[in-house]
Amino acid sequence: MPPSTTLLTAARTATVFRQPFAASFAQRSVALPLRSRNQATPTQKRWNSSPVHKKSLSPDEQKFPTQDQLPHVNEEAAEMDRILQKEKSCDGQPSSPELEQGSPVEDILKRDKDGLKHMPKVMQDQLKKKKPAGGSRSFSTSSHSRQQGMETMGSQDDISAAVLADMIKQVNQEASSQLPEGLKFDLPVLPSEKKTLNFRKRYDSMQDQFTKMLMQDGKLARAQKNMSIILDHLRTSSPPNINPRRPLMGGPPAPQLPLDPVRYLTCIIDSVAPLFRIRQQKGIAGGGTAVQIPHPLNLRQRRRAAIKWILDASEKRRDAQLAHRVANELTAVAEGRSGVWDRRDQQHKIGISGRANLGLAPRRR
């Protein structure tokens, strides 16, 4: 029969088996970090033996054993002072590294026989002369000669500045001598004596008069808008084909007219403007017959008559807008195709035939 086991004997047996296992586990847990530090597995050894990818330094960041460090600021200043103040060239002027890097031309030509033979005659004459006592070079690649030329230019500038100052002083003296005695400045100009422009007139007089005659029902803003459309049409249209029998007066050539639309408009109006108007007067020749007497007009009256004729002729066109009708009529006048020219010629013909009636008109006292 198998031995009987009780609960007490089972607990003791479990305790006995548990003690060596716990001891071995504790021993293993303590030794494991030490072994991992000192001894590495083959996989760890292969990982550690792999090359380390370090960032390569740029040539500016690398340091070499023969690299010279920059001197201190005081050391650099002392070196420049020694070069400029203590060491002077043969002509007595402070020397600098840039001025002493040249070499004499004669030393270069001594090594080149062909160059010495074919050198310019001026340089040959200079070399034949005796060198000056100061020991300065006649020809050299250094910048001493350039520096002397700059000094000469500076002296010339000083002379010209002095001459200009004397001229200014002389002009001021002449101006002061012309003033009345006891006055330092010119006499003040009274407001009544000033000749200034009238700044209340914003637009050209011709443009303003045309705009006022375009106005209907007192709507000036609409008339100004129509005037801007007319000027824009004259500016963007092609140059007119001038009729030799009906040329425009007082204007530039035809290709230049669209460049200045206000002047273009002025030339058109002045070209068809009549010189006089015909006044009907009854009873001066006896009976009830009216006599036609020409009456001269001033500039504004002449322009008003021409604008009125152009507006009347534009009403016969079929364009929808007033501005387009007037602009097309102005273009026709510039090219000599409008009936305004015939109306002007007819009025001048009547005025020329009525010159005999001028003596019959009563004179104004």
Side-chain angles (χ1 to χ4, degrees), residues 59-269:
D60 296 337
E61 297 177 356
Q62 295 179 5
K63 293 185 178 179
F64 303 95
T66 58
Q67 184 177 3
D68 297 334
Q69 296 182 357
L70 293 176
H72 195 266
V73 179
N74 297 335
E75 297 177 2
E76 186 178 358
E79 184 68 18
M80 292 300 297
D81 183 69
R82 182 182 64 80
I83 293 174
L84 296 177
Q85 298 297 332
K86 296 180 181 179
E87 297 183 2
K88 294 186 178 181
S89 59
C90 54
D91 54 356
Q93 295 183 357
S95 62
S96 63
E98 293 81 5
L99 298 180
E100 293 300 331
Q101 289 179 359
S103 58
V105 176
E106 51 266 24
D107 295 345
I108 299 174
L109 294 177
K110 285 178 181 178
R111 300 188 296 268
D112 187 4
K113 301 299 182 180
D114 295 337
L116 185 62
K117 181 180 178 181
H118 299 289
M119 68 183 301
K121 190 176 183 303
V122 180
M123 297 179 64
Q124 292 179 2
D125 298 340
Q126 291 291 337
L127 290 177
K128 290 178 182 179
K129 292 181 181 179
K130 185 179 179 180
K131 293 185 179 181
S136 61
R137 303 168 179 176
S138 57
F139 295 97
S140 174
T141 57
S142 63
S143 56
H144 274 296
S145 58
R146 185 179 299 177
Q147 185 178 8
Q148 293 175 2
M150 293 175 63
E151 293 177 357
T152 306
M153 291 174 59
S155 61
Q156 293 178 358
D157 294 341
D158 296 340
I159 294 173
S160 60
V163 172
L164 182 60
D166 293 340
M167 293 174 61
I168 295 174
K169 184 178 180 181
Q170 184 178 1
V171 170
N172 293 336
Q173 290 177 358
E174 292 178 358
S176 61
S177 62
Q178 294 178 359
L179 293 175
E181 186 177 358
L183 293 179
K184 186 176 181 181
F185 303 102
D186 296 336
L187 293 173
V189 181
L190 299 178
S192 59
E193 299 176 359
K194 291 182 179 180
K195 296 180 180 180
T196 58
L197 298 175
N198 190 354
F199 294 103
R200 291 178 296 179
K201 294 182 180 180
R202 181 178 179 182
Y203 303 103
D204 185 76
S205 58
M206 177 68 240
Q207 180 181 354
D208 187 67
Q209 186 177 2
F210 203 109
T211 305
K212 295 293 180 61
M213 295 192 67
L214 276 176
M215 183 173 57
Q216 297 177 354
D217 301 331
K219 297 179 180 179
L220 182 61
R222 182 181 296 179
Q224 291 176 349
K225 185 176 180 180
N226 292 334
M227 191 67 215
S228 65
I229 296 174
I230 293 171
L231 294 178
D232 188 66
H233 178 84
L234 295 177
R235 181 179 60 84
T236 56
S237 61
S238 59
N241 297 324
I242 305 297
N243 189 355
R245 299 179 58 186
R246 295 173 176 178
L248 297 179
M249 56 179 295
Q256 300 179 8
L257 286 174
L259 301 178
D260 190 355
V262 177
R263 190 174 183 182
Y264 189 7
L265 177 66
T266 305
C267 293
I268 294 173
I269 299 302

Side-chain angles (χ1 to χ4, degrees), residues 238-249 254 257 264 267-269 271-272 310 313 317 327-345:
S238 59
N241 297 324
I242 305 297
N243 189 355
R245 299 179 58 186
R246 295 173 176 178
L248 297 179
M249 56 179 295
L257 286 174
Y264 189 7
C267 293
I268 294 173
I269 299 302
S271 299
V272 295
I310 292 174
R317 292 185 171 270
N328 292 331
E329 186 65 27
L330 288 171
T331 305
V333 172
E335 295 180 353
R337 298 182 286 102
S338 176
V340 179
W341 289 97
D342 299 334
R343 190 168 181 178
R344 172 180 177 271
D345 296 341

